[in-house]
């Protein structure tokens, strides 16, 4: 999705979510203070979030050290299924469905995943030949 | 001797043989093992932990070996086949012959991203996406929508001009040739191409799209080009670096080869030009 239309989609979703009291900020460009990411060092974890984005529940929260895989320290899910996310050294984030395209926060990574999934369900990782 | 050619100059027969060999590997299940391996490294390579396939100096030798394994698998099916490369700085349009129905097929339809033509379209029945991160079992692409432009030749040249192979901290924050070629910093070459193709190519299971191999064969060729331009520049680090593959350390998952053994591609293959 072109950056402009993604930003428009995020803004629209923010308006929707605001109406359901799962308050979210507008697109990250217009609210640099809400999400924590690129501007923070790698030792503090972004805040938790919980919202409905494009009809799907996305959640994120700091996870206790170690985790079950390379100590990501932060867990994201889409409709309750964990989305594998990773923080880059510069504080940006990627997920397994958008692995070459860093965004500034885990919430942005969750939204990018919802955009990418186009309604498809996420499979629990690690990916393996599904039967 | 294997000669890797520009995909744009392949004959109809060469395209047909390449596609047939890829489909044969898919049918036998061997293809999906490559997808699984790649995803395991994508998930496991981290900036502050062990890193081998990506975001590290060994990004280039690791993918060189990975492509060699795949090319050998293709050649076990048809000994005449070599991996072609895609120079995306030249063939930069969704209308390129690369995406024609006699080769890789084109972009996906807008509704769900599904590729509708070519030998890898779900409708052709030979390309189920088995190793996947979501419920969709069909090949998807959205050429040029997630990012509009592929890298230009001038952008490629600006990266080839960087004389230092890689630099501490040896990850996605590094300055130097490797990380600019990989794309975590600067004009962004390799990563941007994955994003430009979209679909599975933008995910950890990117080898589900056969263009993965043509993209990486060109990245590999750019490494060779960089070596010719900077004969005095070496692979680094040279030793004693935690979590990072040094010049003479073996690489997972093979554990029998080092970056040093892969610096010269000519024992394995040459390029058409
Ligand atoms: Cu890779
Ligand atoms: Cu790649």
């Amino acid at each position: 999705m072109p950056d402009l239309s993604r930003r428009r989609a995020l803004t629209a979703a923010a308006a929707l979510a605001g109406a359901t009291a799962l308050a979210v900020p507008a697109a990250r460009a217009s609210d640099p203070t809400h999400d924590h990411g690129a501007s923070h060092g790698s030792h503090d974890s972004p805040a938790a979030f919980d919202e409905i984005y494009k009809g799907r529940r996305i959640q994120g929260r700091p996870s206790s050290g170690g985790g079950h895989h390379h100590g990501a320290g932060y867990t994201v899910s889409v409709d309750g299924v964990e989305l594998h996310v990773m923080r880059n050294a510069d504080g940006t984030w990627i997920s397994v469905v958008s692995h070459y395209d860093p965004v500034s926060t885990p919430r942005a990574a969750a939204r990018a995943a919802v955009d990418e999934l186009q309604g498809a369900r996420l499979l629990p990782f690690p990916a393996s030949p599904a039967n | 001797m294997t000669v890797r050619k520009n995909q744009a100059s392949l004959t109809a027969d060469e395209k047909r043989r390449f596609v047939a060999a890829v489909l044969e590997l898919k049918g036998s299940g061997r293809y999906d093992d490559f997808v699984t391996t790649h995803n395991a490294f994508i998930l496991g390579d981290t900036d502050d932990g062990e890193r081998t396939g990506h975001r590290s100096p060994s990004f280039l030798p690791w993918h060189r070996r990975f492509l060699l394994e795949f090319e050998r698998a293709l050649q076990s099916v048809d000994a005449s086949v070599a991996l072609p490369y895609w120079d995306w700085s030249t063939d930069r349009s969704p209308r390129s012959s690369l995406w024609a129905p006699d080769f890789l097929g084109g972009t996906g339809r807008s509704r769900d991203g599904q590729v509708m033509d070519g030998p890898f379209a779900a409708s052709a029945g030979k390309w189920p996406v088995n190793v996947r991160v979501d419920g969709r079992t069909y090949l998807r692409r959205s050429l040029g929508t997630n990012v509009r432009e592929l890298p230009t030749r001038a952008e490629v040249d600006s990266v080839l001009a960087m004389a230092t192979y890689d630099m501490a901290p040896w990850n996605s924050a590094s300055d130097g040739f490797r990380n600019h070629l990989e794309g975590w910093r600067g004009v962004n070459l390799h990563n941007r191409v994955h994003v430009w193709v979209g679909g599975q190519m933008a995910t950890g299971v990117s080898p589900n799209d056969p263009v993965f191999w043509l993209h990486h064969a060109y990245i590999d060729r750019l490494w060779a080009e960089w070596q010719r331009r900077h004969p005095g520049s070496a692979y680094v680090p040279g030793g004693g670096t935690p979590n990072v593959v040094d010049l003479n350390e073996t690489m997972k998952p093979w554990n029998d080869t080092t970056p040093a053994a892969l610096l010269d591609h000519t024992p394995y293959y040459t390029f058409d030009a």
Side-chain angles (χ1 to χ4, degrees):
Chain A
M1 192 182 304
D3 198 40
L4 260 182
S5 67
R6 168 167 290 170
R7 195 159 292 156
R8 215 180 300 122
L10 291 179
T11 307
L16 271 177
T20 62
L22 289 164
V24 293
R28 65 178 192 263
S30 61
D31 187 357
T33 60
H34 194 95
D35 279 353
H36 303 253
S39 60
H40 286 244
S42 58
H43 296 297
D44 80 83
S45 198
F49 67 88
D50 187 344
E51 69 180 40
I52 305 295
Y53 173 72
K54 291 189 174 174
R56 308 186 70 171
R57 186 170 191 182
I58 56 173
Q59 295 166 284
R61 59 180 168 76
S63 50
S64 44
H68 56 284
H69 65 288
H70 65 70
Y74 197 91
T75 304
V76 171
S77 65
V78 177
D79 291 337
V81 178
E82 185 172 355
L83 172 70
H84 182 276
V85 296
M86 184 182 290
R87 193 208 300 247
N88 294 322
D90 67 356
T92 59
W93 294 76
I94 52 176
S95 83
V96 71
V97 300
S98 187
H99 211 275
Y100 304 91
D101 194 8
V103 292
S104 61
T105 65
R107 184 202 302 264
R111 289 175 174 176
V114 169
D115 291 341
E116 208 285 327
L117 287 167
Q118 295 185 286
R121 79 193 155 89
L122 203 57
L123 297 183
F125 68 89
S128 56
N131 304 302
Chain B
M1 182 47 155
T2 300
V3 179
R4 294 189 180 173
K5 298 177 182 172
N6 189 321
Q7 60 80 25
S9 65
L10 295 185
T11 65
D13 187 56
E14 286 169 330
K15 290 181 188 181
R16 195 180 51 71
R17 285 172 170 272
F18 175 77
V19 166
V22 171
L23 290 175
E24 174 74 25
L25 291 183
K26 181 71 168 179
S28 69
R30 294 170 73 190
Y31 191 95
D32 287 346
D33 292 342
F34 287 93
V35 187
T36 300
T37 296
H38 189 264
N39 193 47
F41 278 83
I42 277 272
L43 297 180
D45 297 323
T46 59
D47 275 339
D48 56 1
E50 188 176 324
R51 47 198 185 274
T52 302
H54 307 88
R55 55 180 70 233
S56 60
S58 46
F59 168 70
L60 290 169
W62 190 90
H63 283 83
R64 177 165 283 176
R65 174 63 185 262
F66 190 56
L67 264 63
L68 273 169
E69 295 286 329
F70 183 69
E71 189 171 53
R72 287 168 183 158
L74 290 174
Q75 290 172 345
S76 74
V77 173
D78 180 341
S80 77
V81 171
L83 280 185
Y85 61 86
W86 169 33
D87 174 357
W88 26 254
S89 73
T90 300
D91 295 306
R92 41 191 299 105
S93 161
R95 291 174 301 282
S96 158
S97 62
L98 172 66
W99 308 111
D102 69 337
F103 200 14
L104 301 191
T107 193
R109 63 184 177 187
S110 59
R111 172 156 64 84
D112 59 3
Q114 185 172 166
V115 170
M116 299 304 291
D117 67 349
F120 307 102
S123 54
K126 293 186 170 170
W127 201 256
V129 175
N130 301 314
V131 184
R132 57 186 192 265
V133 295
D134 61 60
R136 293 169 290 183
T137 58
Y138 47 87
L139 181 66
R140 292 177 293 112
R141 292 182 188 130
S142 51
L143 304 181
T145 61
N146 294 312
V147 61
R148 192 170 295 280
E149 298 291 341
L150 288 163
T152 63
R153 186 65 215 186
E155 288 171 328
V156 169
D157 283 333
S158 74
V159 172
L160 290 176
M162 296 176 176
T164 304
Y165 177 75
D166 205 347
M167 296 166 81
W170 320 109
N171 63 18
S172 74
S174 292
D175 202 349
F177 169 68
R178 186 276 310 167
N179 197 36
H180 279 81
L181 179 62
E182 190 170 358
W184 301 110
R185 259 186 98 151
V187 297
N188 186 357
L189 302 182
H190 154 269
N191 283 354
R192 197 200 322 178
V193 175
H194 278 276
V195 175
W196 186 89
V197 174
Q200 281 89 1
M201 258 295 269
T203 76
V205 291
S206 46
N208 273 310
D209 191 327
V211 81
F212 173 93
W213 309 104
L214 284 74
H215 172 36
H216 271 278
Y218 186 59
I219 293 293
D220 183 82
R221 187 173 182 275
L222 289 177
W223 183 23
E225 202 171 326
W226 177 86
Q227 288 173 312
R228 282 200 306 277
R229 285 201 201 190
H230 305 278
S233 298
Y235 179 97
V236 281
T241 319
N243 291 325
V244 171
V245 183
D246 295 311
L247 178 65
N248 291 303
E249 274 185 326
T250 57
M251 286 188 297
K252 294 176 182 177
W254 309 287
N255 300 316
D256 64 355
T257 193
T258 62
L262 290 160
L263 297 179
D264 179 6
H265 64 84
T266 59
Y268 311 107
Y269 52 88
T270 57
F271 293 103
D272 54 353

Coordinates of all heavy atoms in Angstrom, one line a residue, chain A residues 7-38:
Chain A
R7 N -1.5 5.8 5.4 CA -1.7 6.8 6.5 C -3.2 7.1 6.5 O -3.7 7.3 7.6 CB -0.8 8.0 6.1 CG -0.7 9.0 7.3 CD 0.5 9.9 7.1 NE 1.8 9.1 7.2 CZ 2.9 9.5 6.6 NH1 2.9 10.6 5.9 NH2 4.0 8.8 6.7
R8 N -3.8 7.2 5.4 CA -5.2 7.6 5.4 C -6.0 6.5 6.1 O -6.9 6.7 6.9 CB -5.7 7.7 3.9 CG -6.8 8.8 3.8 CD -7.2 8.9 2.3 NE -6.2 9.2 1.4 CZ -5.8 8.5 0.3 NH1 -6.4 7.3 0.1 NH2 -4.8 8.9 -0.5
A9 N -5.6 5.2 5.8 CA -6.3 4.1 6.4 C -6.1 4.1 7.9 O -7.1 3.8 8.7 CB -5.8 2.8 5.8
L10 N -4.9 4.4 8.4 CA -4.7 4.4 9.8 C -5.5 5.5 10.5 O -6.1 5.3 11.5 CB -3.2 4.7 10.1 CG -2.2 3.6 9.7 CD1 -0.8 4.1 10.0 CD2 -2.5 2.4 10.4
T11 N -5.6 6.7 9.8 CA -6.4 7.8 10.4 C -7.8 7.4 10.5 O -8.5 7.6 11.5 CB -6.2 9.0 9.5 OG1 -4.8 9.3 9.4 CG2 -6.8 10.2 10.2
A12 N -8.3 6.8 9.4 CA -9.7 6.3 9.4 C -10.0 5.3 10.5 O -11.0 5.4 11.3 CB -10.1 5.7 8.1
A13 N -9.1 4.4 10.7 CA -9.2 3.4 11.7 C -9.2 4.0 13.1 O -9.9 3.6 14.0 CB -8.1 2.3 11.6
A14 N -8.3 5.0 13.3 CA -8.2 5.7 14.5 C -9.5 6.3 14.9 O -10.0 6.3 16.1 CB -7.1 6.7 14.5
A15 N -10.1 6.9 13.9 CA -11.4 7.6 14.2 C -12.5 6.5 14.6 O -13.2 6.7 15.6 CB -11.9 8.3 12.9
L16 N -12.5 5.4 13.9 CA -13.4 4.3 14.3 C -13.2 3.8 15.7 O -14.1 3.7 16.5 CB -13.2 3.2 13.3 CG -14.0 3.2 12.0 CD1 -13.6 2.0 11.2 CD2 -15.5 3.1 12.4
A17 N -11.9 3.5 16.0 CA -11.6 3.0 17.3 C -11.9 3.9 18.4 O -12.3 3.5 19.5 CB -10.1 2.6 17.3
G18 N -11.7 5.2 18.1 CA -12.0 6.2 19.1 C -13.5 6.2 19.5 O -13.8 6.3 20.7
A19 N -14.3 5.9 18.5 CA -15.7 5.8 18.8 C -16.1 4.7 19.7 O -17.1 4.7 20.3 CB -16.5 5.8 17.5
T20 N -15.3 3.6 19.6 CA -15.6 2.5 20.5 C -14.8 2.5 21.8 O -14.8 1.5 22.5 CB -15.2 1.1 19.7 OG1 -13.8 1.1 19.5 CG2 -16.0 1.0 18.4
A21 N -14.2 3.6 22.1 CA -13.6 3.8 23.4 C -12.2 3.1 23.5 O -11.6 3.1 24.5 CB -14.4 3.5 24.6
L22 N -11.9 2.3 22.4 CA -10.5 1.8 22.4 C -9.6 2.9 21.7 O -9.3 2.8 20.6 CB -10.5 0.5 21.6 CG -11.1 -0.7 22.2 CD1 -11.4 -1.8 21.2 CD2 -10.3 -1.2 23.4
A23 N -9.4 3.9 22.5 CA -8.8 5.1 22.0 C -7.4 4.8 21.4 O -6.6 4.1 22.0 CB -8.7 6.1 23.0
V24 N -7.2 5.3 20.2 CA -5.9 5.1 19.6 C -5.5 6.5 19.0 O -6.3 7.3 18.7 CB -5.9 4.1 18.4 CG1 -6.1 2.7 19.0 CG2 -6.9 4.5 17.4
P25 N -4.2 6.7 18.9 CA -3.8 8.0 18.2 C -4.0 7.9 16.7 O -4.2 6.8 16.2 CB -2.3 8.0 18.6 CG -1.9 6.6 18.7 CD -3.1 5.9 19.3
A26 N -4.0 9.0 16.1 CA -4.0 9.1 14.7 C -2.7 8.5 14.2 O -1.9 8.0 14.9 CB -4.2 10.5 14.2
A27 N -2.5 8.5 12.9 CA -1.3 8.0 12.3 C -0.1 8.5 13.0 O -0.1 9.6 13.5 CB -1.2 8.4 10.8
R28 N 1.0 7.7 13.0 CA 2.1 8.0 13.9 C 2.7 9.4 13.6 O 3.3 10.1 14.4 CB 3.2 6.9 13.8 CG 3.8 6.8 12.4 CD 4.9 5.7 12.4 NE 5.6 5.8 11.2 CZ 5.4 5.1 10.1 NH1 4.4 4.2 10.1 NH2 6.2 5.2 9.1
A29 N 2.6 9.8 12.3 CA 3.3 11.0 11.9 C 2.7 12.2 12.7 O 3.4 13.2 13.0 CB 3.1 11.2 10.4
S30 N 1.4 12.1 13.1 CA 0.8 13.2 13.7 C 0.8 13.1 15.2 O 0.3 14.0 15.9 CB -0.7 13.4 13.2 OG -1.4 12.2 13.5
D31 N 1.3 12.0 15.7 CA 1.3 11.9 17.2 C 2.6 11.2 17.6 O 2.6 10.0 18.0 CB 0.1 11.1 17.7 CG 0.0 11.1 19.2 OD1 0.9 11.6 19.8 OD2 -1.0 10.5 19.7
P32 N 3.7 11.9 17.6 CA 5.0 11.3 17.9 C 5.2 10.9 19.3 O 6.0 10.1 19.7 CB 6.0 12.3 17.4 CG 5.2 13.6 17.6 CD 3.8 13.3 17.3
T33 N 4.3 11.4 20.2 CA 4.5 11.2 21.6 C 3.9 9.9 22.1 O 4.2 9.4 23.2 CB 4.0 12.4 22.5 OG1 2.6 12.5 22.2 CG2 4.7 13.6 22.1
H34 N 2.9 9.4 21.4 CA 2.1 8.4 22.0 C 2.8 7.0 21.9 O 2.9 6.3 22.9 CB 0.7 8.3 21.3 CG -0.3 7.4 22.1 ND1 -1.2 8.0 23.0 CD2 -0.4 6.1 22.1 CE1 -1.8 7.0 23.5 NE2 -1.4 5.8 23.0
D35 N 3.2 6.6 20.8 CA 3.9 5.3 20.6 C 5.4 5.5 20.9 O 6.0 6.5 20.6 CB 3.7 4.8 19.2 CG 2.3 4.1 19.1 OD1 1.6 4.0 20.1 OD2 2.0 3.7 18.0
H36 N 5.9 4.5 21.5 CA 7.3 4.6 21.8 C 8.1 3.7 20.8 O 7.7 2.6 20.6 CB 7.6 4.1 23.3 CG 6.8 4.9 24.3 ND1 7.4 5.8 25.1 CD2 5.5 4.9 24.5 CE1 6.5 6.3 25.9 NE2 5.3 5.8 25.5
G37 N 9.1 4.2 20.3 CA 9.8 3.3 19.3 C 11.1 3.9 19.0 O 12.0 3.9 19.8
A38 N 11.2 4.5 17.8 CA 12.5 4.9 17.3 C 13.2 5.9 18.2 O 14.4 6.0 18.3 CB 12.3 5.5 15.9

